[in-house]
Amino acid sequence: MKKIKNKSVGVGSSGQKKYRAHRQKTSGGAAGQNAAHGIAGDGSQCPEAPTRVWINLIALAISLAAVVWLREYGQDFAVRTQSLVVVAVALALPIIVLEWLFLKPYRNPSAGLDFRRANYSLGRTALKLLGFYLSVGSVAFVYWLFPEYHGSFYDNYFTVVKAVLPWWMLLAAPYFYLIDGAMQSPKDSYWQLGSWIMGNRKGVSGKAIGQLYLGWLVKLFFLPLMFVYLGNNLNTLLNFDFARLFGSFKAVFDFTFNFLFYIDLLFVTVGYVCTLRLFDSHIRTAEPSFLGWGVALIGYQPFWSLFSGTYLKYDDAPAWGYWFWDTPMMYGIWGTGILLLIAIYVWASIPFGIRFSNLTHRGILTNGPYRFTKHPAYVSKNLSWWMISMPFMVSASGPEALRQSLLLLLVNFIYFMRARTEERHLSWDPTYVAYARYIEQRGMFAVLGRWFPLLRFGNGRLFYRGKDAPAAEPLVSGDLSPAKPA
């Protein structure tokens, strides 16, 4: 999901009841909500982003310098564990420090912190720690239970987890105590889970606890995958013979392809780790619908192997290199086009900084390529698949080419629905509504919305129902807790 910083207080600070009451009092629907929060809801203004691309690029440069250092002096480091931790820390730490100095993320209203409060409570902290340790224990139970996590594929991930976990659990105590004292609404979902375990049901929201576990489920599933993939790409990068780049365009293409995805995976992996309220990178809400989870998970292992092999096998034919190998000029032009699309895809990951995550709301991005379209990564990735697989060039027969092209269109449709479920999830936030209105009017694909109204922003629904349709009730609010601030 995407991220934004904004001077106004978002829905998450006022709660679902206030959100509904506010919508009933305003006649302008989303425009009224946005106006109440100091955000232009007429599409004339793009909300400010919380991250700065220049900060993330500086951090990326430092992390790439760490890769150079590892190539020269880190031969004794285990590539897929120790070296991987080095490059990840080399990216995350500069972002955290520079944002702390220049952006002051802890002051964002969405962080919900005020260190002048000093409202510390050992009792509340103990309940939160109980909820936190139970959440971590639940994750460990899932890893122990399912055979997927018993193979050697995840060995490196669990090696790092076992080394880091004791320190992480120990440092959680002072962190929770510090944050608890500054929180404007300290009875968060960890407190509610801890209270529920201790038998105190007063002020406990089942939806808030459910959202807590959904957030952990996101991390449980995606972090091991991204960690392993990043380790593989880093291994290729550390062992690549750069002399090969002078031999052929194929070597250039292979290196650049791996390098670009390495950058993407680096930001993705760091994002799943750095979910901390202190840096305003915490999870506000997680996708609550089965449809949203389904269209997201289908594109990742082990689910992709099942569905692609059984129903969506669109690339069962020679890929782009086969068709252009005998024409070097076209080979270079077509391959460069693929790399440009992948570069756009990676460009869409850089603005996240330490905030990347699937299926969660950690704020709204409006900078980088998000200034031009809401889903630059999905657009570029889906276009690149057409150029890479070229299903329309299957030589067996015309009907076979049509069949594989239709299968790829089905994959494209899955990503379209993924984008729609994300927009529906984020629509509870007035900032996202303002951003979507801005893109609807000024985005690079705005004309498509005018030609095909069904493609326009649905404002809480999967599909657009006309400009006079009222905004839908959010599937999930930014504040699910009925407990009052303490």
Side-chain angles (χ1 to χ4, degrees):
M1 305 283 172
K2 308 161 181 75
K3 171 85 189 162
I4 188 162
K5 180 178 97 178
N6 166 359
K7 301 283 185 184
S8 61
V9 179
V11 174
S13 300
S14 57
Q16 194 172 32
K17 293 181 180 178
K18 292 183 179 179
Y19 176 85
R20 291 173 178 169
H22 174 69
R23 281 186 15 177
Q24 293 171 355
K25 293 178 181 178
T26 55
S27 60
Q33 299 170 42
N34 296 329
H37 290 86
I39 307 169
D42 58 0
S44 63
Q45 176 185 347
C46 185
E48 184 184 4
T51 63
R52 296 295 181 271
V53 174
W54 66 266
I55 289 179
N56 300 337
L57 288 176
I58 289 175
L60 176 59
I62 294 173
S63 185
L64 293 178
V67 173
V68 175
W69 181 86
L70 288 169
R71 282 178 60 94
E72 295 296 326
Y73 305 105
Q75 292 86 353
D76 295 333
F77 285 25
V79 172
R80 291 180 175 86
T81 53
Q82 295 169 308
S83 293
L84 195 154
V85 171
V86 168
V87 297
V89 172
L91 179 76
L93 190 58
I95 292 176
I96 290 171
V97 171
L98 291 173
E99 285 193 355
W100 191 272
L101 292 175
F102 292 100
L103 303 183
K104 307 289 191 296
Y106 55 89
R107 294 181 180 175
N108 294 347
S110 52
L113 298 175
D114 183 357
F115 286 98
R116 295 170 298 181
R117 288 173 52 85
N119 183 27
Y120 301 104
S121 169
L122 287 173
R124 273 200 318 265
T125 301
L127 287 175
K128 290 182 179 182
L129 285 171
L130 177 61
F132 171 71
Y133 292 144
L134 180 61
S135 300
V136 174
S138 301
V139 172
F141 174 76
V142 171
Y143 286 150
W144 170 81
L145 178 65
F146 289 109
E148 168 69 13
Y149 300 102
H150 284 240
S152 60
F153 182 79
Y154 296 105
D155 282 353
N156 293 319
Y157 169 73
F158 288 118
T159 297
V160 173
V161 168
K162 290 176 182 177
V164 172
L165 186 61
W167 296 100
W168 186 37
M169 303 292 275
L170 183 64
L171 292 174
Y175 174 80
F176 272 88
Y177 182 74
L178 171 68
I179 297 302
D180 174 77
M183 289 181 66
Q184 295 171 2
S185 298
K187 294 181 178 180
D188 61 6
S189 53
Y190 284 116
W191 177 88
Q192 295 185 55
L193 178 57
S195 296
W196 185 82
I197 292 298
M198 296 302 295
N200 178 18
R201 304 297 191 266
K202 185 178 180 180
V204 172
S205 165
K207 289 185 178 180
I209 295 175
Q211 279 286 301
L212 174 64
Y213 270 104
L214 284 177
W216 274 101
L217 184 59
V218 169
K219 185 178 293 190
L220 174 160
F221 177 81
F222 285 103
L223 181 56
L225 276 178
M226 301 303 113
F227 185 94
V228 173
Y229 292 156
L230 177 62
N232 293 340
N233 283 44
L234 177 61
N235 183 60
T236 301
L237 195 59
L238 291 177
N239 293 286
F240 187 81
D241 181 7
F242 283 92
R244 293 176 51 202
L245 296 178
F246 301 99
S248 68
F249 176 77
K250 184 181 184 304
V252 174
F253 179 90
D254 291 343
F255 170 78
T256 307
F257 193 88
N258 178 80
F259 178 67
L260 288 173
F261 275 106
Y262 166 78
I263 294 174
D264 170 66
L265 289 165
L266 180 63
F267 278 95
V268 167
T269 303
V270 166
Y272 282 116
V273 173
C274 297
T275 51
L276 297 168
R277 183 180 293 272
L278 183 60
F279 309 129
D280 195 29
S281 61
H282 60 294
I283 295 174
R284 280 76 159 152
T285 56
E287 169 62 48
S289 73
F290 183 81
L291 176 62
W293 279 79
V295 293
L297 295 184
I298 194 175
Y300 296 90
Q301 297 294 357
F303 305 107
W304 176 244
S305 293
L306 171 64
F307 282 94
S308 65
T310 307
Y311 298 107
L312 300 172
K313 189 66 173 178
Y314 66 86
D315 55 354
D316 191 17
W320 70 279
Y322 172 85
W323 302 104
F324 297 119
W325 184 256
D326 294 329
T327 53
M329 180 175 293
M330 278 304 301
Y331 185 89
I333 293 173
W334 198 267
T336 300
I338 294 172
L339 292 178
L340 287 175
L341 288 172
I342 300 301
I344 294 172
Y345 172 74
V346 175
W347 180 30
S349 297
I350 292 175
F352 281 96
I354 59 172
R355 295 167 173 84
F356 185 93
S357 177
N358 284 305
L359 293 167
T360 61
H361 173 25
R362 294 169 69 181
I364 313 298
L365 281 181
T366 64
N367 53 349
Y370 297 97
R371 198 74 172 186
F372 309 106
T373 178
K374 299 191 296 291
H375 304 287
Y378 294 167
V379 172
S380 58
K381 179 160 61 172
N382 279 268
L383 289 175
S384 73
W385 290 337
W386 281 93
M387 294 189 68
I388 292 171
S389 63
M390 297 180 68
F392 46 85
M393 288 294 289
V394 175
S395 58
S397 65
E400 185 66 11
L402 175 61
R403 186 183 70 85
Q404 296 207 26
S405 295
L406 290 175
L407 289 174
L408 182 50
L409 282 174
L410 283 176
V411 175
N412 299 153
F413 179 73
I414 290 172
Y415 272 81
F416 172 75
M417 292 304 298
R418 186 173 174 182
R420 283 299 188 175
T421 55
E422 287 179 4
E423 291 185 20
R424 182 179 63 177
H425 172 201
L426 296 176
S427 292
W428 71 265
D429 189 336
T431 303
Y432 185 80
V433 175
Y435 166 68
R437 297 297 187 204
Y438 175 85
I439 294 297
E440 191 172 63
Q441 294 186 25
R442 306 191 180 193
M444 64 185 299
F445 300 115
V447 66
L448 293 178
R450 290 190 284 270
W451 289 349
F452 307 101
L454 192 66
L455 298 178
R456 298 181 67 177
F457 174 57
N459 196 13
R461 296 183 173 89
L462 287 177
F463 299 104
Y464 179 70
R465 295 189 181 180
K467 64 179 180 179
D468 297 326
E473 288 290 337
L475 292 180
V476 60
S477 169
D479 182 5
L480 297 169
S481 169
K484 299 183 182 298

